[in-house]
Amino acid sequence: MSGIELFTVVRVIGNNVVMVTGGKKESEYVILGKGIGFGAKIGGTIASDDKRIEKLFRLEDREQWSQAHHLLEEFDPQVMEITDQILNLIGQEFPGTLNDKVYLALPSHIQFTIYRIRKGMDIINPFLEETRISFPKEYDIAAKAAELIGKTFDIEVPEDEIGFLTYHVYSAVSHVPVGHLVKASNVVGSLVRYIEEERQVAFDRGSMDYVRLLMHLRFSVDRMLNQEIHVDNPFAEQIRSKFTQEYGLATRLAGMMEKELGKKVPESEVCFLAMHLYRLFTGRLQQKNQPREES
């Protein structure tokens, strides 16, 4: 029995979910596993070597414990079952430890989505195209998840909802909060609109120009949100002097990012953005000036 921890059952949420206390750290946990709650009783114990345990995660504070109590009690058992299937899909494509928060956030999101669809409420996602481009693998998993939800609950899950599910898939594997992803998408959308207005262009949302711009802006915003170390740009001085218009535009875009994210954009990031803008608009100009082949 050495090394085996015992957990005391506090609440049985369903056949596959129980809330417990105990272990070596005398903490509060949620245990997920097929049949883990079947026959379990409050005050009973579950050993850490129980083969039914698929996931055990610790609730870090009293507020989280209280929230988990409320959420798990409200979840439809079918929602928990479908969540388990979706998490299995994610695990197959992205081996590794998933973000603990997904075990509460995803079923909560799914249950609310089902409610909205059944009530005829519109689900509108202004970031759908940007999400599809930025997270293609996660989007594919989200599309499969939407299909599972639709079949299980006999509803039609709109494509806009697939975009929102994509955030939860990405958050599960990257450990980046969903709120950060939504904020990043909102900022990127604002930057693209500003560039289009400033340069009086309209990007074809399916074009490579748009995809490259979107990805560059997305990576830049993500680096700011995640506080990644920025590498010095050895061509900064040349960029400032040679690409003056693009550098000016990049500086204004950086100002928008700083205002939205509350963080200083490093000069190296501004120069990288200016260089990208120069390549983007030079390439568009060359394409525009290319003589068309006679048919």
Side-chain angles (χ1 to χ4, degrees), residues 100-116:
D100 282 348
K101 290 183 172 57
V102 73
Y103 293 94
L104 294 178
L106 183 56
S108 179
H109 177 82
I110 291 172
Q111 186 144 309
F112 186 51
T113 295
I114 294 167
Y115 171 83
R116 293 178 68 186

Side-chain angles (χ1 to χ4, degrees), residues 34 78 80-90 92 148 152:
K34 284 194 188 340
Q78 276 192 302
M80 297 303 294
E81 290 287 346
I82 207 72
T83 298
D84 188 50
Q85 293 179 47
I86 294 169
L87 292 174
N88 285 336
L89 280 176
I90 298 172
Q92 289 167 15
L148 283 172
T152 302

Side-chain angles (χ1 to χ4, degrees), residues 152-169:
T152 302
F153 297 96
D154 194 26
I155 56 176
E156 187 71 32
V157 179
E159 190 173 15
D160 288 57
E161 171 56 25
I162 296 175
F164 289 126
L165 285 169
T166 301
Y167 285 150
H168 285 274
V169 176

Side-chain angles (χ1 to χ4, degrees), residues 29 48 50 66-67 115 118 127 129 156 158 240 268 271 277:
Y29 300 86
S48 60
D50 192 313
S66 176
Q67 181 188 40
Y115 171 83
R118 285 178 171 168
F127 314 122
E129 191 61 30
E156 187 71 32
R240 281 191 290 265
S268 60
C271 291
L277 291 170

